[in-house]
Amino acid sequence: MVVYLFDFDGTLVDSTGAVEKALTIAIEKTIPAVIESDLYDEYYKALFLFIKGKLTYQYLGVIHELVAQGTIHEYYKLMPKYIKDFPFAKEVIRTLRKRGRRVISFSGEHTYPGGKVIFMKKTNWYDEFDEVITFKGTKDMLQKFETLRALYPDEPFVWVDDSPGRFTYILDDNTLLVQKASPYKSDVALLFERQNFLKIKDIREILDIDDGLAGFEG
């Protein structure tokens, strides 16, 4: 059996535009006066950094106000409405499962605890997977990867992600690392020297990869 690990945002769904739209509307609905003031850029940037888990101390006061006004809650309520599936993404996942592959969602958690699972359920993705695993950072990611490897010690893994930087930590020779091309993420040059690394442009290429792995199933 081949085990597939799929990142979510940027790999199966396009959430980049959704972030911008949801942020703007959330601010407008909860603090409408800010939209027309010189403070808008500051509020937008503070909220964006908070969502990305990169908030700096200088914006702490702004975040306190955004929490008090319900802006952050409004953002998370709006966000799933604007997330869009990439073409053929669900078709690929369903085809892999029909072939008997184990398909796991393996992606970074949002700043909001449990936010990734909430988004998956509201965008009708959660039940598309055999299992959903989220991680908080690199250390947590590696621990959960090792836990999966212990559960499937001899099975080939295929990890598909638009963030190739994550792959630099993985030295497992029985894992094929597949970078899904993204205009928002840069390549990591050293990965192209690895025999177990590929870069794809179209998610449908995964099915061709799977055809080639058929003879290596445990």
Side-chain angles (χ1 to χ4, degrees):
M1 177 179 67
V2 181
V3 178
Y4 282 84
L5 310 180
F6 279 92
D7 174 54
F8 189 61
D9 295 292
T11 300
L12 297 175
V13 300
D14 182 0
S15 56
T16 303
V19 170
E20 182 176 351
K21 192 165 187 177
L23 285 176
T24 303
I25 295 174
I27 293 172
E28 186 173 22
K29 288 184 70 174
T30 58
I31 318 179
V34 171
I35 294 288
E36 303 298 332
S37 76
D38 294 336
L39 294 174
Y40 173 72
D41 288 345
E42 182 178 0
Y43 276 61
Y44 182 96
K45 186 169 184 179
L47 188 51
F48 178 82
L49 291 173
F50 174 82
I51 298 305
K52 295 295 182 181
K54 299 179 180 178
L55 184 65
T56 57
Y57 182 78
Q58 72 180 101
Y59 291 107
L60 202 56
V62 178
I63 288 298
H64 285 163
E65 184 171 348
L66 291 172
V67 171
Q69 297 293 338
T71 311
I72 291 173
H73 175 76
E74 187 66 27
Y75 165 80
Y76 280 105
K77 187 171 71 174
L78 289 166
M79 178 68 171
K81 297 180 182 179
Y82 303 114
I83 294 174
K84 296 180 181 180
D85 295 355
F86 280 123
F88 307 105
K90 280 184 178 171
E91 178 184 316
V92 167
I93 298 299
R94 291 170 181 173
T95 299
L96 290 172
R97 293 184 72 186
K98 285 179 181 178
R99 292 181 179 184
R101 313 313 187 205
R102 185 159 184 81
V103 181
I104 298 172
S105 174
F106 191 70
S107 59
E109 180 60 277
H110 288 295
T111 306
Y112 188 94
K116 181 61 65 76
V117 168
I118 292 171
F119 285 4
M120 285 184 182
K121 289 182 175 179
K122 290 189 175 182
T123 53
N124 298 315
W125 267 99
Y126 188 82
D127 292 330
E128 296 291 338
F129 303 104
D130 292 303
E131 185 177 357
V132 172
I133 298 173
T134 61
F135 48 83
K136 296 178 182 178
T138 301
K139 184 177 180 180
D140 191 35
M141 176 190 78
L142 292 174
Q143 289 175 341
K144 289 178 177 177
F145 179 84
E146 289 303 320
T147 298
L148 281 172
R149 176 48 81 196
L151 288 173
Y152 307 99
D154 302 315
E155 309 292 355
F157 280 12
V158 180
W159 183 350
V160 189
D161 202 312
D162 70 312
S163 299
R166 291 171 176 165
F167 295 156
T168 60
Y169 300 95
I170 304 300
L171 303 177
D172 187 298
D173 291 334
N174 203 21
T175 297
L176 179 62
L177 305 168
V178 182
Q179 177 187 346
K180 166 72 162 34
S182 167
Y184 309 106
K185 303 290 177 67
S186 299
D187 290 343
V188 178
L190 64 86
L191 289 173
F192 289 89
E193 299 174 7
R194 296 189 184 179
Q195 293 184 343
N196 64 330
F197 173 79
L198 293 172
K199 182 178 179 180
I200 62 173
K201 294 182 178 180
D202 190 318
I203 197 69
R204 287 175 292 181
E205 294 177 59
I206 293 297
L207 297 181
D208 295 329
I209 291 170
D210 186 69
D211 289 337
L213 291 173
F216 295 94
E217 294 181 63

